[in-house]
Amino acid sequence: MRVLARYLLFQVPGWIVVAVAGWLLSRVPGVPGWVGPALLGGWILKDLVVYRWVRTAYDASDRPSPEGRLVGMRGVAEQDLAPEGFVRVRGELWRARAARREDRVRRGDAVRVTAASGLTVVVEPIRRA
């Protein structure tokens, strides 16, 4: 589904609420009949103007999965990975396994995320030069 269509579909419930509020407002004695449609028209116009700044939030086509965003990030081993354990990346605790069985990752070692699958990240130790 295209981004604009996704955005507009998300706005429909709000338009319905504003339409009902405008209809109720137009039933109040002394309120001109054009107020309800003007309120709805203004609300829709507001949504069309705001779309310019929020459209990227509705475009999921080029966005990696949440765990995919971790690839390349650095973390710290919370325990020895033998070959699995836990690492902390961006302050979050993740189940992890070493990229290669021969990699020795000790508690406190700096690691880099090389892959992610579900709630498990694959890490390699960051070698100090």
Side-chain angles (χ1 to χ4, degrees):
M1 183 181 297
R2 296 182 48 102
V3 177
L4 179 59
R6 186 178 302 128
Y7 173 76
L8 292 177
L9 283 174
F10 187 73
Q11 303 309 314
V12 169
W15 296 344
I16 292 170
V17 169
V18 170
V20 169
W23 178 78
L24 290 173
L25 187 62
S26 69
R27 309 293 288 168
V28 173
V31 176
W34 58 266
V35 171
L39 182 64
L40 179 59
W43 196 268
I44 292 172
L45 181 63
K46 179 262 315 172
D47 287 337
L48 292 174
V49 169
V50 168
Y51 171 72
R52 176 181 183 190
W53 291 282
V54 300
R55 70 175 164 239
T56 56
Y58 291 86
D59 185 10
S61 62
D62 62 347
R63 207 173 315 152
S65 62
E67 65 270 6
R69 291 185 207 136
L70 293 171
V71 174
M73 299 198 93
R74 293 176 176 226
V76 175
E78 289 291 314
Q79 58 184 214
D80 293 351
L81 273 62
E84 294 189 359
F86 288 90
V87 297
R88 190 167 299 277
V89 179
R90 290 187 321 190
E92 300 170 336
L93 198 59
W94 289 87
R95 177 176 299 283
R97 73 174 182 274
R100 292 176 299 276
R101 230 164 172 31
E102 62 272 8
D103 284 342
R104 297 188 56 90
V105 179
R106 299 278 184 210
R107 182 173 191 250
D109 285 353
V111 295
R112 178 177 293 113
V113 177
T114 59
S117 175
L119 298 177
T120 302
V121 294
V122 179
V123 297
E124 63 184 10
I126 298 174
R127 305 286 182 220
R128 294 192 178 110

